[in-house]
Amino acid sequence: MPPPRNRSLRSQLLAPLRWIWLFGLTAAAAGAYWLATASANIAFDRGLQDEASALAAKIVWTDRGPLLDVSRQALELLTWDNAERNAFVVVDENGRAIAGDANVPLPDRRDNSFAKPQVFDAEFEGQAVRGAIFSLSSPMLDRSVSIVVVETRHRRQRLLRDVAFAMAMPTLAIALLTTGLLAWGIRRGLAPLHETASEVARRAPSDLRALPVAGVPAEVVPLIERINFLLADVQQSVNLQQRFVADAAHQLRTPVAGLRVLIQELAQELPSDAHLAPLVQALSSSGERLSRLIGQLLSLVRTQGALGVETDLEVLDVAALLRQVAEPAAVRAARAGRELELQLPEPALQVRAHAFWLGEALSNVLDNALRYGGPHIVLRASAAPGGLVRIEIEDNGPGVPPEDLPRLIEPFWRGQRADVREAGGSGLGLAIAYEIITRLGGHWVLRSRPEVDGFRVEWLLPGADA
């Protein structure tokens, strides 16, 4: 089961703001809708009340009773809007229609409409309507009339939609702009952290320089400083280990050299003793192996010390360097009945590297191929995409199991097979070569059967224009 994925700092910062934005947008929309509804109702209700008051002003009291003195043109103005259903009625105190549409609904109470027009809700011809009623009494007769004006809610609803849309769109635009600005600000604030992560990813494993704190947010500076303290402690520990290995190997060189001299004198003193000859030969082989191990330990320490992150590189002719390194290896291969083939590109290639250390890496890998590889060894160079130079050392030997490939660059690891353990190697050759190539800014790839005929070491190094 894969581990749970950690939430990003950006999402943790934006999540509360997102909820606040949604809550604020909802509250603003609800408030805007309520305000628009209240304002529209007040405006339209005032219009209904004014119409009722205007009709009331046209009531004339005669001997025959109240009459509505309004011209036909004035009555048509009440229903000029075809999209609305407007109507009015004038009723006496008994509810009998005097003028207008007798089907217009009346409110349940009319006694409170003598002081000022009152509004009410009702239903007229299957539609919800809003109405206004205004009642007045005769100054001389014991009579009263009520004027009722009603209209449907279509215009109110259209106005509400228009107002809500007009208020919602700017609110939504401002909210989106605010969210975008916040996201941009958070991304900009986190950019130094991404730059620091990219800086760490670009570094070689041996690059333990302090991380820069310039431009890093103040809240993250303590974390970077603690990482720098840790890097300094690791660098100090690595330096102590390298110094110990170098001192130990250097101190061992003198007694080992003396031991080899004594073994050679012993071999000369006992040239014909059949019983002691195998023992003397074993002592000689062990002395040579110990001397080689000490030499490679010193080479590993020198590599780690000399090839720092500020190493000055130079432009080298690949063909000349390969010929120089391949010549002694080819002689050694011929003596062992094997073949070393050199394949050089046309036209010539140039690589940006360090001549001595790149040659050291090639020598170590060729030595590994001569010890453990097949009878045919190929050393080739070619151009690679991106201005890189590819160098390959390949043999047709038994190869390496896939599970062992990652361990080949570990110091002192020499495989599990007996023939490998007894080949006289120290387990440092590929580790030294890997250290050199990575410190030169190169990329390291190992391939084995069935991908290739045997075993291949492939490097990608920066070209002259890199």
Side-chain angles (χ1 to χ4, degrees):
M1 180 178 180
R5 184 178 180 182
N6 295 335
R7 294 179 60 193
S8 66
L9 182 59
R10 183 187 306 170
S11 64
Q12 295 184 48
L13 291 174
L14 284 178
L17 297 176
R18 189 181 300 115
W19 287 109
I20 294 174
W21 176 76
L22 290 176
F23 175 78
L25 181 62
T26 303
Y33 185 79
W34 177 85
L35 180 62
T37 302
S39 301
N41 285 332
I42 291 174
F44 280 97
D45 289 349
R46 181 63 57 85
L48 286 173
Q49 291 172 332
D50 291 342
E51 290 181 10
S53 300
L55 290 176
K58 297 298 182 179
I59 295 295
V60 177
W61 298 95
T62 65
D63 295 339
R64 293 180 299 173
L67 296 176
L68 180 62
D69 186 15
V70 179
S71 65
R72 181 179 296 275
Q73 291 78 7
L75 292 178
E76 289 178 353
L77 290 176
L78 294 175
T79 57
W80 69 271
D81 191 352
N82 294 329
E84 292 292 333
R85 181 66 176 92
N86 297 345
F88 78 97
V89 67
V90 179
V91 297
D92 58 15
E93 64 273 9
N94 297 320
R96 183 172 58 88
I98 299 176
D101 190 346
N103 295 322
V104 171
L106 303 177
D108 296 334
R109 295 180 57 187
R110 286 182 283 172
D111 54 353
N112 61 346
S113 61
F114 285 91
K116 63 179 181 178
Q118 301 295 324
V119 294
F120 63 94
D121 295 315
E123 186 173 334
F124 178 47
E125 295 183 354
Q127 299 186 60
V129 294
R130 183 77 165 171
I133 181 172
F134 187 32
S135 302
L136 65 160
S137 301
S138 169
M140 295 178 295
L141 303 174
D142 188 17
R143 300 285 301 275
S144 65
V145 293
S146 297
I147 298 93
V148 179
V149 181
V150 296
E151 68 176 3
T152 55
R153 296 177 174 268
H154 301 308
R155 283 192 299 173
R156 296 175 186 241
Q157 294 172 352
R158 287 198 302 271
L159 178 61
L160 287 177
R161 285 196 300 267
D162 295 342
V163 172
F165 182 79
M167 298 181 70
M169 291 307 296
T171 303
L172 181 61
I174 293 174
L176 292 176
L177 178 61
T178 303
T179 304
L181 290 176
L182 287 173
W184 174 79
I186 293 174
R187 186 182 301 108
R188 183 180 180 185
L190 295 177
L193 296 182
H194 292 293
E195 293 176 359
T196 302
S198 300
E199 169 72 16
V200 174
R202 288 192 300 266
R203 290 188 179 187
S206 57
D207 188 355
L208 300 177
R209 291 175 299 166
L211 297 174
V213 296
V216 176
E219 294 81 1
V220 188
V221 170
L223 174 62
I224 302 297
E225 290 178 345
R226 295 307 304 171
I227 293 176
N228 288 337
F229 291 150
L230 178 61
L231 291 175
D233 292 341
V234 173
Q235 182 65 65
Q236 183 178 5
S237 176
V238 170
N239 292 338
L240 290 175
Q241 291 178 6
Q242 292 176 355
R243 188 178 302 115
F244 170 76
V245 173
D247 292 343
H250 183 74
Q251 294 298 324
L252 286 173
R253 294 185 68 178
T254 301
V256 169
L259 181 61
R260 293 186 64 188
V261 171
L262 292 175
I263 293 174
Q264 291 175 0
E265 292 181 356
L266 182 61
Q268 293 176 0
E269 293 291 334
L270 303 171
S272 59
D273 193 325
H275 297 287
L276 296 178
L279 179 60
V280 174
Q281 180 64 32
L283 287 174
S284 178
S285 298
S286 298
E288 292 179 0
R289 181 176 175 184
L290 183 58
S291 178
R292 175 179 173 80
L293 174 61
I294 293 173
Q296 289 206 322
L297 281 174
L298 289 174
S299 178
L300 178 61
V301 174
R302 287 198 304 268
T303 301
Q304 296 172 343
L307 285 177
V309 294
E310 302 296 337
T311 301
D312 292 331
L313 305 180
E314 54 184 331
V315 177
L316 305 173
D317 183 6
V318 176
L321 180 64
L322 293 188
R323 287 193 185 96
Q324 179 181 357
V325 176
E327 183 176 351
V331 174
R332 181 180 166 190
R335 289 175 179 173
R338 304 165 74 179
E339 180 187 8
L340 174 59
E341 180 183 355
L342 184 60
Q343 298 179 359
L344 299 179
E346 292 292 343
L349 290 177
Q350 291 183 323
V351 66
R352 184 175 296 276
H354 193 285
F356 174 79
W357 291 112
L358 182 55
E360 185 75 8
L362 283 169
S363 297
N364 278 277
V365 178
L366 285 175
D367 178 76
N368 183 83
L370 289 171
R371 289 180 181 274
Y372 310 113
H376 184 70
I377 303 171
V378 178
L379 174 59
R380 70 172 67 94
S382 59
L388 302 177
V389 175
R390 179 184 289 107
I391 298 178
E392 298 172 317
I393 303 96
E394 182 178 349
D395 66 76
N396 59 348
V400 178
E403 63 272 13
D404 290 343
L405 287 177
R407 303 196 61 187
L408 291 179
I409 58 177
E410 297 179 8
F412 302 107
W413 192 87
R414 297 194 302 142
Q416 305 298 328
R417 303 198 323 257
D419 60 335
V420 171
R421 295 195 300 269
E422 297 174 0
S426 61
L428 289 174
L430 292 182
I432 294 173
Y434 176 78
E435 186 78 18
I436 293 173
I437 295 303
T438 54
R439 287 177 179 264
L440 290 177
H443 184 62
W444 176 286
V445 179
L446 297 178
R447 306 181 190 277
S448 187
R449 294 179 182 273
E451 191 174 359
V452 296
D453 291 339
F455 179 69
R456 179 194 296 171
V457 178
E458 179 181 328
W459 301 335
L460 289 174
L461 294 169
D465 298 331

